[in-house]
Amino acid sequence: MAITKLVAKRSTCLRRSVGAILVKNKRILATGYNGAPAGLRHCEEVGCVRENSAIPSGVRHELCRGLHAEQNVIIQAAYHGISIGGATLYCTNKPCVICSKMLINAGIRVIYYEEGYDDPLSDQMFSEAGLQVERLKV
């Protein structure tokens, strides 16, 4: 989790810094943090769409310039041709329902997180898919 927190420091989000790493057989496969897509201006430069529109945390995830750390870690693995089926995700925050669906389809089997917001649909989907999800109290 210490490495995940270090990855989160690369975040360009003004509201929350999140880091994620995928691990398999005790090896780090990929890392991700939340922020704007590669080559686009960061929220630090253009302002936060969610803040400017008074959108509360945990809703309307699509109204944001940035990608979530979990999305970016999956994308990084795909971009570099790294298989992540059966991997474990370490994330500073509990995945939202959008990321949950992606993680399930990517074949992630175990998720460890440190903090996050309540998302009952995400919990239900993880349970139904048989994923082990555990909060680490660090």
Side-chain angles (χ1 to χ4, degrees):
M1 193 55 80
I3 295 170
T4 307
K5 289 180 182 181
L6 186 61
V7 171
K9 291 182 179 187
R10 297 204 35 130
S11 170
T12 59
C13 179
L14 300 174
R15 291 173 63 152
R16 179 180 303 191
S17 295
V18 180
I21 63 171
L22 284 170
V23 176
K24 190 172 184 180
N25 299 325
K26 299 183 181 183
R27 297 187 188 275
I28 295 173
L29 302 176
T31 65
Y33 54 89
N34 57 328
L40 300 186
R41 293 180 295 157
H42 298 291
C43 298
E44 297 165 331
E45 301 169 73
V46 297
C48 176
V49 172
R50 296 179 63 79
E51 197 71 35
N52 295 340
S53 300
I55 301 167
S57 180
V59 298
R60 302 296 312 267
H61 300 288
E62 75 279 7
L63 298 177
C64 179
R65 288 182 59 82
L67 291 137
H68 289 186
E70 302 94 324
Q71 294 167 336
N72 268 327
V73 76
I74 292 169
I75 292 166
Q76 284 302 306
Y79 185 84
H80 294 287
I82 299 167
S83 174
I84 59 174
T88 297
L89 175 78
Y90 289 84
C91 195
T92 57
N93 286 73
K94 185 178 176 185
C96 71
V97 69
I98 294 170
C99 291
S100 298
K101 292 183 275 187
M102 294 175 73
L103 293 163
I104 291 166
N105 274 2
I108 304 308
R109 304 294 352 134
V110 180
I111 296 172
Y112 294 108
Y113 71 96
E114 188 175 72
E115 55 186 66
Y117 49 83
D118 190 34
D119 191 333
L121 184 55
S122 177
D123 294 337
Q124 177 187 348
M125 292 183 134
F126 281 144
S127 177
E128 188 177 335
L131 268 74
Q132 175 189 337
V133 180
E134 183 178 333
R135 182 176 187 175
L136 296 179
K137 295 182 176 139
V138 181

